[in-house]
Amino acid sequence: MFDAHRHLPISGEHRPSSGQHIWFATSGPDEWALFQTLSSPPQWKHGYGLLPQWLSEHPHDQTAIFDMIAHVEALLRHDPHGYIGEIGIDERFANLVPLDVQLSIAGRLLDLADRTSRPVAIHHVGSITLLENLLEGADVGIPIIVHGFLGSLETARHLSNRGCTISIGPNVWAHQTKLGNRLAEIDIPFVLETDYPHVPDLLAQSLGYEQILASHYREVAQRLHLQQTDLEEKMHGLATILTDW
Ligand SMILES: [Zn+2]
């Protein structure tokens, strides 16, 4: 299976099987070094990320931000499995990290991704206009995954036209979203993710990582009237395209 977005293993978690295609994401610099300890097989990818939430919890000035971005660049140079993510816009933290600062940081990281030809995973909470501003300002040619997408089908199409790939996680079921109900109508390519361990409470209490991934695939396959193996094959195909760097 392909999990387009999850976080680093948590303590006590079984190591995911090596055959799994996994894009690990991080939220800030304190996690970046951990990839060196992961002994990843080639199908595990390492996301170097910087989220508004992380910045809201860690005092920083502009010099510190520039240093972090330079650090990401250095890490990417030495990590052939590295990409940038997750980064993005989160209106919930706008009081601590103003939106113009969020946009400028995300814009710089998108530029870096473009310069180094690596994909980006974007986290987005808030008005779609902000995300559009970011994408318009950056105008990059690398693959962009908009992770944890819960918006409308129309927005999904719109993002796809802009060259983004939306990624859908189990929260699409937990919140009974319109998108979940209309999944069979999605006529653009999308990928699947768990965002583990940030999964809906009910799942987290009863299931382990690989079970959550498998049950998400089962649910999606059912809604799309596909065999699960066909869905897996389709996702592997997309993983191969997105991982072409
Ligand atoms: Zn995440």
Side-chain angles (χ1 to χ4, degrees):
M1 276 175 270
F2 171 37
D3 185 352
H5 187 95
R6 64 153 288 171
H7 290 261
L8 289 166
I10 53 173
S11 76
E13 182 189 340
H14 283 288
R15 184 181 167 82
S17 60
S18 295
Q20 220 82 277
H21 291 252
I22 302 175
W23 284 32
F24 287 95
T26 55
S27 316
D30 46 359
E31 294 179 297
W32 297 342
L34 296 172
F35 284 125
Q36 286 166 21
T37 63
L38 206 55
S39 315
S40 300
Q43 48 286 47
W44 292 7
K45 301 302 169 195
H46 305 157
Y48 298 98
L50 186 56
L51 281 182
Q53 177 168 7
W54 190 92
L55 289 166
S56 77
E57 292 161 358
H58 299 79
H60 57 274
D61 56 18
Q62 201 173 28
T63 315
I65 301 274
F66 288 153
D67 285 349
M68 287 179 222
I69 295 172
H71 191 182
V72 172
E73 184 162 9
L75 287 163
L76 288 177
R77 240 196 322 269
H78 295 106
D79 185 353
H81 300 294
Y83 71 97
I84 295 184
E86 54 188 308
I87 64 165
I89 308 290
D90 196 323
E91 285 186 11
R92 295 170 301 176
F93 303 101
N95 56 333
L96 292 164
V97 188
L99 288 174
D100 59 326
V101 175
Q102 294 191 23
L103 276 167
S104 128
I105 295 171
R108 281 170 198 278
L109 286 162
L110 273 166
D111 276 349
L112 173 59
D114 203 41
R115 259 190 292 126
T116 52
S117 301
R118 307 291 174 99
V120 175
I122 289 189
H123 160 102
H124 167 249
V125 176
S127 101
I128 191 71
T129 320
L130 279 171
L131 179 58
E132 279 175 355
N133 288 348
L134 173 66
L135 295 171
E136 209 159 297
D139 187 29
V140 294
I142 32 105
I144 297 176
I145 293 180
V146 178
H147 109 83
F149 185 78
L150 287 173
S152 68
L153 195 52
E154 291 68 30
T155 305
R157 287 193 187 117
H158 194 68
L159 288 171
S160 179
N161 287 337
R162 280 202 167 278
C164 298
T165 304
I166 62 160
S167 175
I168 298 176
N171 49 359
V172 80
W173 315 123
H175 302 304
Q176 290 286 333
T177 58
K178 276 193 200 141
L179 185 73
N181 295 330
R182 295 179 67 186
L183 211 61
E185 293 173 52
I186 300 187
D187 44 9
I188 50 156
F190 63 91
V191 291
L192 299 176
E193 65 171 62
T194 59
D195 204 11
Y196 191 80
H198 309 298
V199 292
D201 285 349
L202 251 174
L203 287 179
Q205 282 158 14
S206 52
L207 301 175
Y209 166 65
E210 301 216 30
Q211 291 169 303
I212 291 172
L213 181 61
S215 90
H216 187 41
Y217 265 75
R218 231 180 355 259
E219 186 76 39
V220 172
Q222 203 172 56
R223 307 264 179 147
L224 299 183
H225 311 292
L226 284 176
Q227 295 292 330
Q228 195 179 323
T229 45
D230 292 339
L231 179 63
E232 285 174 25
E233 209 164 290
K234 199 168 150 166
M235 290 300 148
H236 276 179
L238 287 168
T240 311
I241 295 170
L242 291 168
T243 315
D244 184 25
W245 76 80

